[in-house]
Structure formats: structure tokens, C-alpha cells
């Protein structure tokens, strides 16, 4: 594919991206430099930033936590009893089926 195959919009886009120079000739994009170690932060700075972000979190109040905990416990009890009941029924059926 040559530059003659491209329309004006495509050429403008390539020029904006830096793939074409002012005369419309193809130029190589500059090579990206690898990330330097200096961009990283130390453990103290990291923990400070984590603490700052955690302060921004909207934490639930105690009544909401109690309500959610009760819902979770009831759900666990219900599902445990359903699975236990099914296990008992299938175990009884298997015992009856293989005993005869």
C-alpha cells in the first residue's frame, strides 16, 4: 500500500500520529524508552499513599455491618441445611438402592 492509496483524512491522521512528516513522507516513530527504576516509589511512600486512599473510602456504619453480617449468616445456614438435606436424601437413596 502506498501513500497514494490513502485519502486526505487518513493522511491527516497519520500526520497527527507522527507517522508522516510535513512533506507527507513516511518517518519512523521514535523508539519508546524503557521505564526507569526512578519512576517507582519506596515502601514508605507506597504505604503513605495507601493510607491516603483508604481515608477516601466511604466506610459503612456499624448498623449496616451488623445487618449485612446477619444476612450472610442466615444465608450460610440456609444453604448449608439445603446441601446437608440433599446429601442425606441422596445417601439414603444410595443405601436403599445398593442394599437390595
Amino acid at each position: 500500500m502506498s501513500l497514494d492509496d490513502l485519502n486526505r483524512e487518513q493522511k491527516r491522521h497519520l500526520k497527527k500520529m507522527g507517522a508522516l512528516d510535513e512533506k507527507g513522507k513516511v518517518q519512523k516513530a521514535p523508539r519508546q524508552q524503557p521505564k526507569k527504576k526512578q519512576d517507582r516509589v519506596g515502601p514508605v511512600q507506597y504505604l503513605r499513599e495507601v493510607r491516603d486512599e483508604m481515608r477516601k473510602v466511604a466506610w459503612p456504619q456499624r448498623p449496616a455491618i451488623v445487618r449485612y453480617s446477619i444476612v450472610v449468616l442466615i444465608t450460610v445456614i440456609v444453604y448449608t441445611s439445603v446441601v446437608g438435606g440433599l446429601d442425606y436424601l441422596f445417601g439414603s437413596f444410595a443405601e436403599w438402592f445398593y442394599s437390595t
Side-chain angles (χ1 to χ4, degrees):
M1 176 192 278
S2 70
L3 289 177
D4 297 333
D5 296 335
L6 301 175
N7 62 27
R8 281 182 291 164
E9 184 179 348
Q10 291 169 328
K11 288 180 184 177
R12 265 190 248 124
H13 184 66
L14 287 173
K15 193 179 285 187
K16 187 186 285 187
M17 288 180 8
L20 296 178
D21 61 4
E22 292 301 321
K23 296 179 182 177
K25 293 189 179 186
V26 178
Q27 67 179 15
K28 286 188 174 180
R31 177 179 257 178
Q32 291 181 349
Q33 298 297 325
K35 223 177 185 183
K36 296 180 182 177
K37 259 194 163 177
Q38 297 166 349
D39 294 341
R40 299 179 70 171
V41 296
V44 175
Q45 177 69 23
Y46 173 76
L47 291 174
R48 189 175 298 129
E49 290 177 7
V50 167
R51 185 187 66 207
D52 292 341
E53 288 296 321
M54 294 301 278
R55 286 182 178 158
K56 296 176 186 176
V57 174
W59 297 100
Q61 299 297 317
R62 184 173 178 85
I65 294 174
V66 170
R67 190 170 50 247
Y68 296 153
S69 300
I70 291 171
V71 168
V72 168
L73 287 174
I74 290 173
T75 304
V76 168
I77 290 170
V78 167
Y79 281 125
T80 302
S81 46
V82 166
V83 169
L86 289 174
D87 180 50
Y88 178 76
L89 287 174
F90 288 134
S92 299
F93 175 72
E95 227 176 82
W96 169 80
F97 185 72
Y98 289 115
S99 67
T100 56

